[in-house]
Amino acid sequence: MSSPPCVLVVEDEIELAELFAEWLSEDYEVRVATSGEEALERADEDVDVVLLDRLMPGLSGDEVLERIRDQDLSVRVAMVTAVEPDFDVLEMGFDDYVVKPLFREDVRRLVRGLLERNEYDRTLSTLFALASKLSALESHKTEDELAESEEYARLKDDFEQTRDRIAELESEMTENDFEAVFYDFDRVDL
């Protein structure tokens, strides 16, 4: 049995940090940090999602985000803040940006959406890798060689299962999650 996903809640308002942790602890392993420095100590490869307050005394959420990205941790980060977004967000490497106040279902939906996007990205990468292997074999082997190969049959099965998983994940995604993965580039005047 695998361990539940891990969420790091970074919030300098202790009561709010504890409230978020309570809301999430039923489904996730939750770590809490009440400063930027503590957040960096608690962030590691086991963390799947970080809910990061932007304005904190000492090391700000912006600085924590930058350092997390510099560490190349495979983690989704949502800025959860009272700060309305401005053009400075263009340079920031977050996965989502939400403005407080947030309620229980907002927080749970945010984490669930980030985890779904993460799984979708990983599964899509796997699908492309499998498709490349299939293409390489199909372009260099005869139909008889392919038909006789157990490895090729397993590869095709893996491809089909992965494609089915992609379809399943897409059906579970909310419109906002799907838009975050496939941003509508037609909305931007380039």
Side-chain angles (χ1 to χ4, degrees):
M1 184 170 150
S2 65
S3 60
C6 181
V7 179
L8 174 59
V9 176
V10 184
E11 172 61 61
D12 65 319
E13 294 179 39
I14 295 170
E15 298 81 16
L16 186 56
E18 290 173 350
L19 185 61
F20 283 4
E22 180 183 323
W23 290 346
L24 295 168
S25 63
E26 184 177 310
D27 297 314
Y28 308 106
E29 174 191 334
V30 180
R31 299 177 186 177
V32 174
T34 57
S35 70
E37 293 81 3
E38 186 181 7
L40 293 174
E41 291 171 9
R42 309 226 54 205
D44 60 29
E45 286 297 328
D46 294 332
V47 175
D48 299 291
V49 171
V50 176
L51 302 182
L52 181 59
D53 185 18
R54 189 166 181 194
L55 291 180
M56 295 182 292
L59 201 59
S60 73
D62 296 9
E63 293 170 299
V64 171
L65 174 62
E66 190 174 315
R67 291 190 189 179
I68 285 173
R69 294 303 185 219
D70 288 346
Q71 292 177 23
D72 204 28
L73 295 176
S74 177
V75 61
R76 295 286 181 164
V77 179
M79 302 303 283
V80 180
T81 180
V83 179
E84 293 285 334
D86 203 348
F87 291 105
D88 64 334
V89 302
L90 298 174
E91 302 300 319
M92 298 173 68
F94 57 77
D95 297 290
D96 210 334
Y97 193 103
V98 294
V99 179
K100 297 174 187 172
L102 284 125
F103 301 97
R104 178 186 185 109
E105 195 48 42
D106 298 324
V107 172
R108 294 174 61 77
R109 187 180 315 111
L110 175 62
V111 170
R112 189 172 46 249
L114 290 170
L115 290 169
E116 287 171 354
R117 286 189 227 168
N118 205 32
E119 182 179 358
Y120 186 83
D121 287 350
R122 281 194 316 268
T123 307
L124 195 59
S125 292
T126 299
L127 183 71
F128 282 116
L130 292 170
S132 293
K133 291 175 185 179
L134 283 170
S135 176
L137 288 173
E138 290 169 352
S139 64
H140 292 91
K141 296 291 182 185
T142 67
E143 285 187 32
D144 288 341
E145 288 174 312
L146 294 173
E148 293 173 8
S149 171
E150 289 180 29
E151 293 93 347
Y152 177 74
R154 275 194 303 275
L155 181 62
K156 282 192 76 145
D157 286 343
D158 289 347
F159 178 82
E160 293 299 324
Q161 289 175 9
T162 304
R163 190 171 61 185
D164 291 346
R165 181 63 183 142
I166 290 285
E168 182 182 330
L169 288 168
E170 287 174 354
S171 72
E172 294 170 359
M173 286 178 140
T174 66
E175 184 175 327
N176 289 341
D177 293 329
F178 201 75
E179 284 180 8
V181 174
F182 294 105
Y183 182 77
D184 184 1
F185 290 103
D186 292 336
R187 295 188 324 199
V188 178
D189 186 22
L190 298 175

